[in-house]
Amino acid sequence: GTYAVLNKVPVKDYGGPGFDFYLPNTKWNLHFTTGRWRYYIHGAYWHNNFGQPMSHGCVNVAYKDMEALYDWAQVGTKVVIN
């Protein structure tokens, strides 16, 4: 679908009670949709298996690449997920 960056969150915790994962202090989060769950494009420090399904709906980006994307993107930047 086609979305837009709704909000920029420098650091966020994912998961926790009721989830099968806990990923604290995740940097560079670009919130792009809200429904039953909020979805983000964010840095991922817990794996290096990019290009493979690894998430509960978010888009994972290597930390080495995510900071520049976070700095570049502004609220309203178009996000296209194919």
Side-chain angles (χ1 to χ4, degrees):
T2 300
Y3 308 93
V5 173
L6 301 173
N7 178 349
K8 294 174 70 168
V9 181
V11 178
K12 179 171 175 47
D13 295 343
Y14 289 95
F19 292 90
D20 61 348
F21 63 96
Y22 179 59
L23 305 166
N25 302 314
T26 303
K27 295 182 183 178
W28 309 304
N29 305 271
L30 299 171
H31 173 207
F32 68 91
T33 189
T34 300
R36 180 174 178 209
W37 307 105
R38 292 177 175 231
Y39 293 109
Y40 295 80
I41 301 168
H42 59 72
Y45 58 80
W46 53 91
H47 74 81
N48 289 310
N49 198 20
F50 299 101
Q52 301 299 316
M54 296 292 298
S55 173
H56 289 80
C58 291
V59 177
N60 292 188
V61 177
Y63 256 34
K64 68 180 183 64
D65 300 319
M66 190 59 211
E67 184 175 15
L69 178 60
Y70 181 86
D71 290 342
W72 172 83
Q74 300 303 313
V75 170
T77 297
K78 183 192 271 189
V79 176
V80 178
I81 308 291
N82 290 324

